[in-house]
Amino acid sequence: MNKSMISYVAALVSLLLVGILFVQLLRLDYGHRLIPTKTNEAREFKTLAGENRELEGEPIDIYIHQNEDELSEAILTNFKYALDYAKLPYTSITAAQIEGLDPSPYNVLVLSGENTEQWPYETIKQFVEQGGRLYIVGRFIDAKWADLVGVSEFGDFIDGVDGLTFERELFPGYVDLSPDSELLLFIHSIADVELAARSDVLITAKDEPILWMAPYGDGEVMFWNTTSLSDKISRGLMVQALTMMFPAFVTQQSGIKVVHFDDFPAPVPDNSIPVIEDAYGLSIKDFFSDVWWQDVQQIARDHDLVYTGFMIGSYKASSEESVDQLIQKIRASMFEYGRGLMQVDGEIGLHGFNHQPLVTNGETMDPDLGYTAWASREEMRSTVERVVETFDYYMPKEEIRSYVPPSNIIGASGLSVLNEAFPDGLIIASLYSGDTSKGSYVQEFGPDPIYEHLYNFPRISSGYNETIDDQFVIVDAIANFGLVSHFIHPDDVLDERRSKGQGWATMKDSFEDMFKMIDRTYPHLEALTQYDAYQKYELYQQADIEVAYTEDTIEINSDQMLIPSTMLIRLQAGTYLETGKFSFGSVRPFGDSGTLYQLELKTSYVSLEIKSDTK
């Protein structure tokens, strides 16, 4: 055999050995280490230090007096959360302190409850008559108060008045709710009233007045004729209604839009089911790869979305699977969807070792869901460590920063385990509203009050199938503080109950329509991963922003304000702001009311001129 032939055979054998070695590496799952994984750095948000300034005008001062009754406590506690999220400072006062209020058009007294005899009527009447504002959040019946609150005659209480109808635009995007709305919070108990001619009705239900505004002397009164203001889904309504009482009013927007995919990445079955087979002729695995994943990426590109997925290692109820077994089980999903999320600037958080909530025996959990409680905290901790190790195997340059409880259920023991397992901090994203009696973890935004390493960032809305109710929930949070936090389950399409009997084509269209509306109506909302949303929200809350008003100016001065920041400005009819681009940012009309503007601010100080139609 000549030398050239020997060299040829040697080269062939070498190639064959390299090929065998390469295949073995792939079989041993080292292949992913040969393909660089994109690293997504956390966003850096710009803030601007301001200067100390003496503002010429008056601030708006909100004074809240709370009665010692159930209705007053429930509604006003809810209202205070709304003010905190909107960064509107307020002062709680006693009945005796009401006498000291200055009757300025920039001072408002907030009352709620049925014990009107505890309120100093003559003092309040004089306060409004001389120019103050009175905001009543919750119905009552008291003939003595009738004229002051714009009522010519009080009747009895009426229960079961359902729905909401907006007689004019309160905030862009709000929709009327029919009497058969599934948002049961808007089943009102109201006062049967005849309104005075001067009263201007803003919201009705079954032709009954729910919200009206009435001038009294030099002041204004706004009256919510309902008991349905103790739920979180009324917070935006209360804030936006409040802004209508003043010559001008500035509210702030956090400008955040977050979308979660629960159970993603997760093991995907290779079989098929009729709803997929009949429509696409594909297995479940191929449907998610070739159809669902392609569609949701296109929706993200078209309507400015960034996705955060929450991984599951296994769907077994038991905890015996090892790290190696988890690695193999979730291999295909992590390669395709884990990498896929990174490629589209997304994020991966943790949903669980399996889909069993972190609950031990004795803690509340809905028995109808068929979950199994964990034997101990130690067992929970072990599974958390194993699934984190699995994540690290596939994403060595990333870290888990957020967690969604399976079925939004978690106990105190589970929270304590997460607090220990993530000493560098962990965002817990559960529910904004819900029924806690069966173990649902319902949150407010902010640092956890008990566990120092945990931060609560609840999800406000969910689902593919946009309904009028879904839109109302989303819009109310935007009206409150400019935040969308929405989640879906990719596998809802596989379940007839959760998909409401609709196929993927219909679900996709309604999901896209929802975010098309959001993108078109609220372009100031920034698409962010969960971790970046947390960062921006914290900076939004920490910014120090002062607003002062005169008859013809609005002054805004800030320190450590996000740049840019979005604010909404409400003016009274007959006045307006110049719109366009300016050195400080831009001003544009917002919605169709003609009284609401959106300010994008890029400087720490601005003075805006309020102009009059009569000048």
Side-chain angles (χ1 to χ4, degrees):
M1 185 180 293
N2 59 38
K3 289 184 178 180
S4 61
M5 180 61 70
I6 293 171
S7 299
Y8 174 77
V9 171
L12 192 62
V13 170
S14 297
L15 284 173
L16 182 61
L17 290 173
V18 169
I20 292 171
L21 178 61
F22 183 74
V23 169
Q24 289 301 315
L25 286 173
L26 290 179
R27 289 182 61 195
L28 291 170
D29 210 17
Y30 287 106
H32 75 284
R33 299 182 185 276
L34 305 178
I35 306 171
T37 302
K38 180 180 177 183
T39 300
N40 292 341
E41 300 292 338
R43 277 281 306 276
E44 291 188 8
F45 295 95
K46 182 180 178 182
T47 60
L48 191 61
E51 301 175 7
N52 288 327
R53 288 178 181 265
E54 192 72 33
L55 302 185
E56 293 183 8
E58 295 184 54
I60 285 176
D61 287 319
I62 301 169
Y63 298 96
I64 299 177
H65 172 62
Q66 184 172 307
N67 274 9
E68 294 182 358
D69 69 54
E70 187 175 336
L71 181 64
S72 179
E73 181 178 355
I75 291 177
L76 291 178
T77 297
N78 195 41
F79 183 55
K80 290 173 185 176
Y81 273 112
L83 295 176
D84 288 339
Y85 290 151
K87 293 179 61 65
L88 295 172
Y90 59 87
T91 303
S92 295
I93 61 173
T94 65
Q97 290 172 315
I98 293 174
E99 187 173 355
L101 297 183
D102 176 22
S104 160
Y106 302 105
N107 287 349
V108 60
L109 173 63
V110 182
L111 301 173
S112 184
E114 297 179 326
N115 298 325
T116 54
E117 70 281 355
Q118 297 179 7
W119 301 335
Y121 170 75
E122 292 297 336
T123 299
I124 294 171
K125 177 183 174 183
Q126 185 178 27
F127 167 77
V128 178
E129 200 167 31
Q130 294 179 5
R133 271 47 180 166
L134 176 62
Y135 190 48
I136 297 175
V137 279
R139 61 98 176 100
F140 61 72
I141 291 175
D142 189 330
K144 182 171 72 172
W145 287 74
D147 187 45
L148 174 58
V149 300
V151 170
S152 60
E153 185 179 351
F154 273 115
D156 203 348
F157 292 122
I158 305 175
D159 294 332
V161 179
D162 307 341
L164 280 181
T165 301
F166 292 87
E167 300 301 326
R168 69 175 68 172
E169 184 181 85
L170 191 69
F171 184 84
Y174 272 126
V175 286
D176 295 342
L177 297 177
S178 66
D180 58 355
S181 164
E182 294 182 8
L183 284 179
L184 300 179
L185 65 148
F186 292 115
I187 300 177
H188 314 275
S189 171
I190 69 170
D192 186 13
V193 294
E194 289 291 333
L195 294 182
R198 70 181 192 278
S199 293
D200 182 13
V201 178
L202 306 174
I203 298 177
T204 61
K206 290 185 177 178
D207 297 323
E208 298 287 350
I210 297 298
L211 175 66
W212 65 82
M213 195 161 69
Y216 190 85
D218 292 332
E220 294 279 355
V221 177
M222 184 171 277
F223 193 101
W224 278 100
N225 186 27
T226 180
T227 53
S228 298
L229 296 173
S230 59
D231 192 281
K232 295 179 179 183
I233 309 306
S234 64
R235 289 174 177 176
L237 279 176
M238 288 190 285
V239 167
Q240 291 302 321
L242 175 70
T243 69
M244 301 177 75
M245 302 181 68
F246 300 86
F249 200 109
V250 176
T251 55
Q252 298 177 50
Q253 293 270 289
S254 64
I256 292 169
K257 181 170 50 177
V258 186
V259 180
H260 287 178
F261 291 163
D262 287 4
D263 303 283
F264 186 82
V268 180
D270 203 18
N271 63 305
S272 192
I273 58 175
V275 69
I276 301 301
E277 179 69 33
D278 294 347
Y280 300 99
L282 297 172
S283 67
I284 294 173
K285 181 179 179 181
D286 289 340
F287 163 76
F288 278 112
S289 178
D290 299 343
V291 180
W292 183 90
W293 181 228
Q294 305 308 316
D295 285 345
V296 296
Q297 288 185 86
Q298 186 62 53
I299 291 170
R301 288 191 292 270
D302 291 345
H303 306 297
D304 185 35
L305 301 178
V306 173
Y307 299 130
T308 299
F310 291 88
M311 68 173 285
I312 282 282
S314 170
Y315 282 107
K316 284 188 175 181
S318 59
S319 63
E320 78 277 2
E321 289 172 292
S322 67
V323 172
D324 287 342
Q325 288 172 317
L326 291 182
I327 286 171
Q328 291 305 315
K329 181 165 282 190
I330 201 171
R331 178 178 181 273
S333 287
M334 289 300 285
F335 276 2
E336 181 166 11
Y337 304 123
R339 288 180 182 276
L341 279 168
M342 294 297 105
Q343 292 300 321
V344 294
D345 298 321
E347 178 186 348
I348 300 176
L350 179 61
H351 201 32
F353 173 90
N354 53 24
H355 208 275
Q356 303 297 309
L358 296 180
V359 171
T360 52
N361 286 317
E363 295 179 323
T364 304
M365 183 165 56
D366 185 353
D368 294 338
L369 296 177
Y371 289 130
T372 302
W374 296 86
S376 65
R377 290 180 74 262
E378 290 69 30
E379 184 184 28
M380 283 194 288
R381 178 66 184 264
S382 171
T383 59
V384 168
E385 289 171 349
R386 274 179 273 161
V387 74
V388 169
E389 189 175 340
T390 303
F391 170 87
D392 290 342
Y393 178 84
Y394 286 111
M395 300 288 165
K397 298 178 182 179
E398 299 291 328
E399 61 181 295
I400 289 174
R401 296 188 175 106
S402 52
Y403 173 82
V404 165
S407 295
N408 296 292
I409 295 172
I410 190 169
S413 60
L415 290 169
S416 68
V417 163
L418 294 176
N419 187 62
E420 293 171 4
F422 294 90
D424 294 331
L426 186 70
I427 300 157
I428 308 295
S430 189
L431 294 178
Y432 188 53
S433 53
D435 181 5
T436 60
S437 66
K438 293 186 177 182
S440 290
Y441 188 49
V442 177
Q443 305 169 295
E444 297 288 353
F445 288 84
D448 191 279
I450 299 173
Y451 304 100
E452 62 178 336
H453 303 312
L454 305 184
Y455 188 96
N456 293 323
F457 199 108
R459 287 99 65 81
I460 295 168
S461 54
S462 65
Y464 294 98
N465 297 296
E466 185 195 20
T467 66
I468 293 298
D469 292 352
D470 294 332
Q471 181 169 330
F472 193 98
V473 170
I474 291 169
V475 170
D476 191 77
I478 299 171
N480 186 180
F481 60 122
L483 188 143
V484 170
S485 181
H486 187 87
F487 75 94
I488 61 171
H489 295 95
D491 63 354
D492 279 357
V493 66
L494 308 178
D495 186 285
E496 186 169 350
R497 179 185 61 81
R498 286 187 280 147
S499 68
K500 303 176 184 176
Q502 301 181 70
W504 170 240
T506 301
M507 295 169 72
K508 180 194 74 171
D509 287 347
S510 60
F511 182 66
E512 183 170 19
D513 286 347
M514 180 184 352
F515 284 101
K516 185 186 297 182
M517 181 279 292
I518 292 169
D519 192 27
R520 181 181 65 245
T521 311
Y522 317 108
H524 65 288
L525 302 183
E526 185 178 11
L528 299 168
T529 64
Q530 177 58 78
Y531 182 73
D532 289 341
Y534 146 76
Q535 288 195 105
K536 187 176 184 183
Y537 181 75
E538 275 286 90
L539 292 171
Y540 159 79
Q541 281 291 350
Q542 291 166 9
D544 182 13
I545 297 176
E546 292 182 273
V547 185
Y549 307 83
T550 68
E551 281 189 13
D552 53 13
T553 62
I554 301 170
E555 282 189 285
I556 302 172
N557 190 51
S558 63
D559 186 33
Q560 300 304 323
M561 184 182 75
L562 280 160
I563 301 296
S565 278
T566 299
M567 300 178 192
L568 303 180
I569 302 175
R570 177 90 63 180
L571 299 182
Q572 287 188 332
T575 61
Y576 66 95
L577 296 176
E578 277 195 30
T579 57
K581 293 185 177 180
F582 306 94
S583 60
F584 59 78
S586 63
V587 178
R588 71 177 185 92
F590 187 53
D592 299 325
S593 68
T595 63
L596 194 56
Y597 296 84
Q598 189 178 89
L599 166 66
E600 184 185 68
L601 191 57
K602 297 181 179 179
T603 60
S604 63
Y605 172 81
V606 66
S607 179
L608 302 171
E609 183 182 0
I610 302 173
K611 299 192 173 184
S612 173
D613 291 338
T614 60
K615 292 181 181 178

